[in-house]
Amino acid sequence: QRQRVSLARALMLRPDVLLLDEPLGALDPMIRAELQDELRELFRSLGCTVVMVTHDLAEAVHFADRIVLMREGSIVQAGTIEDLSERPTEPFVERFVTAQRRLHGGMS
């Protein structure tokens, strides 16, 4: 509930850019899935840019038009999930995507 209230307060200010750091990380899977859908529609309807920090690639895919994969504070690769999956720029990207697929049973 606190996360929802904090997000509502931030959105009331109508920011041009909203930065969220693991906003759904502490939620149980059913509530998390519901909120992902609600938030995606809300963000699209508001038309604001959302930068979301997450370690969950499936969640990033759910929300994002563009994914930026970072390691140790530096951008490793940016693009769509297809770019990361099919055209990894280095072995770290391939390992990260493969590890996420194992956790989630596949993504697209």
Side-chain angles (χ1 to χ4, degrees):
Q1 284 300 82
R2 285 191 298 246
Q3 287 173 310
R4 285 182 177 183
V5 170
S6 296
L7 183 59
R9 282 185 189 153
L11 291 172
M12 286 174 45
L13 299 173
R14 295 282 189 172
D16 293 328
V17 178
L18 184 63
L19 174 61
L20 302 173
D21 187 1
E22 299 278 357
L24 305 175
L27 301 175
D28 74 64
M30 288 177 50
I31 292 173
R32 186 175 183 156
E34 290 173 16
L35 280 177
Q36 284 176 340
D37 291 339
E38 290 175 21
L39 287 176
R40 182 177 59 189
E41 293 309 312
L42 178 63
F43 296 153
R44 287 187 178 161
S45 70
L46 291 175
C48 68
T49 298
V50 178
V51 177
M52 181 180 295
V53 176
T54 182
H55 291 88
D56 186 334
L57 190 55
E59 186 166 86
V61 169
H62 186 78
F63 282 103
D65 297 319
R66 180 176 168 90
I67 297 168
V68 177
L69 185 60
M70 299 182 75
R71 180 179 61 195
E72 298 177 4
S74 296
I75 295 174
V76 178
Q77 185 170 348
T80 65
I81 187 60
E82 290 79 19
D83 294 330
L84 276 67
S85 298
E86 298 169 17
R87 295 172 292 285
T89 57
E90 64 176 72
F92 172 79
V93 176
E94 187 172 0
R95 288 193 315 271
F96 188 87
V97 171
T98 299
Q100 292 284 314
R101 282 189 176 137
R102 287 183 187 157
L103 287 174
H104 293 288
M107 291 175 302
S108 59

